[in-house]
Amino acid sequence: MSTNLLLEDKNAVLYGAGGAVDTACRLPTVRAQFPDVADRAAREQMSYRGFLAELLMAECDDRARRRSERRIRYAGFPRQKSLREFDFDANTNIDPAVISTLAKCDWIRKGMPLCLIGDSGTGKSHLLIALGTEAAMQGFRVKYILASKLVNELVEAADDRQLSKTIARYGRVDLICLDELGYMELDKRGAELLFQVLTEREEKASVAITSNESFSSWPKTFTDPRLCAAIVDRLTFGGNILETGTDSYRLTHTRSQR
């Protein structure tokens, strides 16, 4: 039987047996793309094997895309940012080669930390979200959260006697993107709870943070000197530290527009 004869009755297959296959095997892309792939197979005189491979590859690619989208939604990024959008020419403190290496996510596989330190408007959050998005696209479970929000969540969990469950929940993700650490002073209890999360993940799962304060100024955020030293130790040991500088891209861009 020729390929053309096989494909002549594609509509019957699509809405009959094809519908049953979709329902039983959950192959929505196979059903959706069957007409186009079948038509192309007829025009190009594909073999049966080539036609089937084309159809199943489309299903696999679409499944991978949907999984990536689910992981990105789960991460809870406040906005979309990509590495392609980052203006390396506007901030010469950032080495594109270093960011390219980080985008491969080997540091996440090793459970290493990442610190982005610099003034407001220098691209810290952009890089944090973009690298987190890359990680999600490569199959890692990622969670983005503001440092102040995480501390508040931990305090509420402790008050409700749910702290262990909350820390365990954050312990199950491969990468926590902790934004804006250092923008507000943390009391001793909040700092201790955050320390527990970092200790739970130490050398097992990654934490990436942004801060507008250099490490020498962190005692303003963590007022207990010993606790501050311990937190800095856990966020820097074996990890990457990138300084994004002091010149605000947003301010420079606004001035140039004017």
Side-chain angles (χ1 to χ4, degrees), residues 119-137:
D119 283 3
S120 178
T122 56
K124 303 184 304 298
S125 292
H126 185 138
L127 290 172
L128 181 73
I129 294 171
L131 288 170
T133 300
E134 288 288 332
M137 292 173 63

Side-chain angles (χ1 to χ4, degrees), residues 4-33:
N4 286 345
L5 289 175
L6 176 68
L7 298 176
E8 281 178 358
D9 200 24
K10 63 181 181 295
N11 287 333
V13 174
L14 175 62
Y15 295 108
V21 168
D22 178 23
T23 302
C25 301
R26 297 181 181 179
L27 301 173
T29 306
V30 168
R31 184 173 189 178
Q33 296 196 18

Side-chain angles (χ1 to χ4, degrees), residues 78-126:
R79 51 198 172 274
Q80 293 183 350
K81 294 291 182 182
S82 72
L83 294 178
R84 292 188 303 273
E85 297 171 337
F86 191 82
D87 189 350
F88 290 97
D89 292 332
N91 189 341
T92 56
N93 294 291
I94 304 298
D95 186 346
V98 172
I99 300 301
S100 179
T101 299
L102 290 172
K104 296 176 182 177
C105 298
D106 287 340
W107 59 285
I108 301 175
R109 294 183 183 91
K110 297 174 182 177
M112 297 292 100
L114 169 65
C115 299
L116 298 161
I117 310 294
D119 283 3
S120 178
T122 56
K124 303 184 304 298
S125 292
H126 185 138

Side-chain angles (χ1 to χ4, degrees), residues 180-222:
E180 298 186 359
L181 183 63
Y183 280 78
M184 61 179 292
E185 180 181 315
L186 301 179
D187 61 23
K188 184 176 181 180
R189 186 187 184 205
E192 287 174 345
L193 293 173
L194 178 60
F195 178 72
Q196 288 187 48
V197 173
L198 299 178
T199 300
E200 177 73 17
R201 302 180 63 79
E202 186 179 10
E203 296 188 46
K204 295 185 296 184
S206 293
V207 177
I209 66 103
T210 69
S211 179
N212 65 324
E213 298 282 0
S214 62
F215 294 120
S216 62
S217 299
W218 277 29
K220 293 188 295 183
T221 301
F222 305 100

Side-chain angles (χ1 to χ4, degrees), residues 151-167:
V151 170
N152 289 338
E153 184 178 336
L154 293 172
V155 169
E156 291 176 3
D159 290 341
D160 295 337
R161 297 185 179 181
Q162 298 292 317
L163 182 61
S164 296
K165 289 183 179 180
T166 302
I167 291 178

